Amino acid sequence: MNEILVVDDNRTMLMFMERVLSKRGFKVTTANDGTQALHVLEECPDIQFVLSDWMMPEMDGIELCRRLKSGNYSRYIFFVLLSGKDDQESIISGINAGADDFVVKDTHVDEIAARIKAGFRTLALHNEITTKNEQLDSAYAIMKKDLESAGDMLKRLLPAERKLSGVEISYVSIPSAQIGGDMLGYMQLDEDNVGFYLLDVAGHGVSSALMSFSVQQSIAVNSGKGSIVKSSIDQPPYYQITQPSSVLKQLNDLYLSDDHNLLYFTMVYSVLNAKTGEMKFSIAGHPPLVWLHAATGEAEFIGQDSFVVGAFDFVDYQTASLQLEPGDKIWIYSDGITEAEKGTEQFSEEGFRQTVMDIKDHPTTVQTEMLVNRVRDWQRCEQFDDDVSVLVVEWTGYSEGEQACNTKFSTRVNAQFFK
């Protein structure tokens, strides 16, 4: 039953309104003034409709309306102001106080009842929307918790601290939301060779994160028939390391888009021989590498013209080779860092290269964090609009003294993950 609180200091008016509204199917509760009305509403939480006189002692209808319509009140109240005045100034005052409707006392009771019914329809719609919003909030809270859990899982997929002979590695990975589409990693392929990669799935959100997770799992298998980074051969050592271009080709075949899946990704995959310093790499539509030369302190771009992974079935990728000198560093990054914006200006690949040279004298273990903080300071904002990933690999050189303990890798690795 629709419940109404009628507020009026005139007892005769209260009795009249209670009788005529009850006959029309409303459940009526009464109060003598605004103060009593607030008490009744506190005791009767189901009442959401108030029909109140304007002029009353203690607390008039205007003040009662203001309190019920304030943001601090516990629930939504549909408020109809009842007045003996029928002038524009009175109507404006009532509406400004927050009244939903304004009725003159000498209005025919059937019209008053009709307006009340219209008010209850509005109230029902409001309550329905409120309920749906609460359901959406609850669903969003569950989704947010699930996304945070997924983000934590993806975070755990990033490399933990490991010792890699002749190599020092540091990285930063910052998703733009709870989960992102960037993924990076490195792995010891054998006692001499280290594989490392960085990929950036187009778009954001769950679908991009799922693809980055899937690609990471495809690369993580580094032995047996399911491996794309190593293959079996008949002669000792009974395996061979897959060329970087072939790794990208196999990934392209695995993740080729169709009408139902339009995702693709850019990627760099590299293999560094930690004994000789030779680095083989292949790039798929990704920003160029930055090669910092220890001898000169200069940094240069190393890139390839190539297609992204997963978009076309006809592509081939190329394997290139670099000969590093001890202390040389290779920087790999996603475009979220170079496309960071300040107004209409982007940080840019050139800005990245210059920053790499600026921070070259600091320990490798802190350089990725320093670079990201430099971009944050430049854009004057802590947050990034896109996922940001930065990986730096330094070849420290290989000493013959390590020959006898190749299975005990000895170089520091630093990994930073920021939310």
Side-chain angles (χ1 to χ4, degrees):
M1 182 180 290
N2 293 331
E3 297 185 57
I4 300 176
L5 174 61
V6 179
V7 188
D8 201 313
D9 62 325
N10 187 317
R11 184 172 179 78
T12 301
M13 188 65 177
L14 275 183
M15 294 176 61
F16 171 75
M17 294 299 295
E18 182 178 9
R19 186 177 75 254
V20 298
L21 293 179
S22 297
K23 286 182 178 180
R24 286 163 173 79
F26 300 105
K27 181 180 178 181
V28 180
T29 302
T30 61
N32 295 323
D33 57 44
T35 302
Q36 188 181 8
L38 290 175
H39 179 73
V40 171
L41 290 171
E42 184 177 347
E43 295 294 323
C44 305
D46 291 337
I47 298 177
Q48 287 187 269
F49 197 110
V50 173
L51 177 64
S52 175
D53 186 23
W54 184 321
M55 302 300 295
M56 296 180 295
E58 297 296 330
M59 183 188 298
D60 63 17
I62 291 290
E63 179 60 24
L64 175 62
C65 183
R66 288 197 182 100
R67 294 200 185 188
L68 296 180
K69 290 296 187 177
S70 73
N72 297 325
Y73 198 68
S74 60
R75 64 185 184 273
Y76 179 76
I77 298 292
F78 191 91
F79 195 95
V80 178
L81 195 60
L82 194 63
S83 175
K85 300 178 180 180
D86 185 16
D87 59 89
Q88 187 178 32
E89 183 178 350
S90 299
I91 294 173
I92 292 173
S93 297
I95 293 175
N96 286 339
D100 298 286
D101 201 358
F102 185 93
V103 180
V104 179
K105 281 187 175 182
D106 60 3
T107 301
H108 193 280
V109 68
D110 288 339
E111 181 181 338
I112 294 177
R115 291 199 181 192
I116 291 174
K117 289 179 181 178
F120 271 110
R121 288 195 295 270
T122 301
L123 183 59
L125 180 61
H126 174 274
N127 289 342
E128 181 182 357
I129 293 173
T130 299
T131 299
K132 289 182 178 179
N133 284 340
E134 289 172 351
Q135 293 171 346
L136 286 173
D137 288 342
S138 177
Y140 175 76
I142 294 172
M143 291 174 60
K144 185 174 184 292
K145 185 177 180 180
D146 288 344
L147 287 173
E148 288 173 349
S149 297
D152 289 339
M153 183 191 70
L154 290 174
K155 174 183 174 181
R156 289 194 292 271
L157 290 176
L158 292 167
E161 186 171 352
R162 297 171 61 183
K163 296 179 180 179
L164 307 175
S165 180
V167 179
E168 190 163 331
I169 300 175
S170 177
Y171 73 81
V172 170
S173 182
I174 310 170
S176 59
Q178 286 98 334
I179 55 177
D182 284 6
M183 182 61 70
L184 57 82
Y186 44 86
M187 53 202 161
Q188 194 84 45
L189 297 172
D190 61 16
E191 61 184 17
D192 292 336
N193 292 282
V194 177
F196 52 94
Y197 61 89
L198 192 152
L199 64 99
D200 180 3
V201 181
H204 305 280
V206 175
S207 58
S208 297
L210 287 174
M211 173 168 273
S212 69
F213 167 77
S214 179
V215 175
Q216 190 271 347
Q217 293 298 294
S218 298
I219 299 172
V221 180
N222 65 359
S223 63
K225 293 182 178 180
S227 176
I228 65 172
V229 297
K230 292 167 69 175
S231 59
S232 299
I233 56 176
D234 295 332
Q235 297 81 27
Y238 303 109
Y239 71 86
Q240 63 182 5
I241 294 174
T242 307
Q243 292 292 316
S245 58
S246 181
V247 171
L248 295 185
K249 176 63 176 174
Q250 291 180 70
L251 289 173
N252 189 69
D253 294 340
L254 282 171
Y255 294 98
L256 193 61
S257 299
D258 55 32
D259 293 339
H260 304 289
N261 173 27
L262 300 178
L263 289 176
Y264 58 87
F265 55 94
T266 67
M267 185 173 181
V268 175
Y269 181 76
S270 303
V271 176
L272 173 62
N273 187 312
K275 181 180 291 187
T276 66
E278 181 186 21
M279 189 189 85
K280 296 180 179 180
F281 67 95
S282 187
I283 300 177
H286 204 80
L289 312 179
V290 172
W291 181 5
L292 179 68
H293 298 271
T296 64
E298 295 296 317
E300 64 174 308
F301 291 117
I302 304 295
Q304 288 178 336
D305 292 330
S306 57
F307 290 97
V308 299
V309 178
F312 308 103
D313 60 0
F314 56 81
V315 299
D316 286 316
Y317 301 98
Q318 303 298 318
T319 294
S321 179
L322 300 175
Q323 180 57 55
L324 303 183
E325 299 298 328
D328 282 4
K329 298 173 185 176
I330 298 295
W331 288 79
I332 311 175
Y333 52 93
S334 63
D335 59 12
I337 193 78
T338 55
E339 293 180 1
E341 295 182 345
K342 180 173 65 176
T344 59
E345 184 182 1
Q346 292 188 340
F347 188 72
S348 77
E349 292 173 357
E350 178 59 27
F352 187 97
R353 188 183 73 88
Q354 289 292 335
T355 303
V356 165
M357 292 189 291
D358 291 343
I359 62 177
K360 66 180 184 300
D361 295 328
H362 294 273
T364 300
T365 53
V366 300
Q367 286 185 12
T368 51
E369 183 179 354
M370 290 181 65
L371 187 144
V372 169
N373 287 334
R374 178 75 67 89
V375 179
R376 283 183 170 132
D377 292 341
W378 174 84
Q379 70 176 7
R380 298 171 186 167
C381 180
E382 287 292 312
Q383 301 299 318
F384 293 97
D385 294 331
D386 194 4
D387 303 331
V388 164
S389 296
V390 181
L391 171 67
V392 59
V393 179
E394 177 184 2
W395 184 53
T396 58
Y398 189 92
S399 66
E400 290 300 324
E402 297 180 35
Q403 185 77 23
C405 57
N406 280 337
T407 57
K408 296 181 180 179
F409 308 120
S410 60
T411 303
R412 294 173 298 164
V413 176
N414 182 63
Q416 299 289 333
F417 183 91
F418 294 89
K419 287 188 176 181

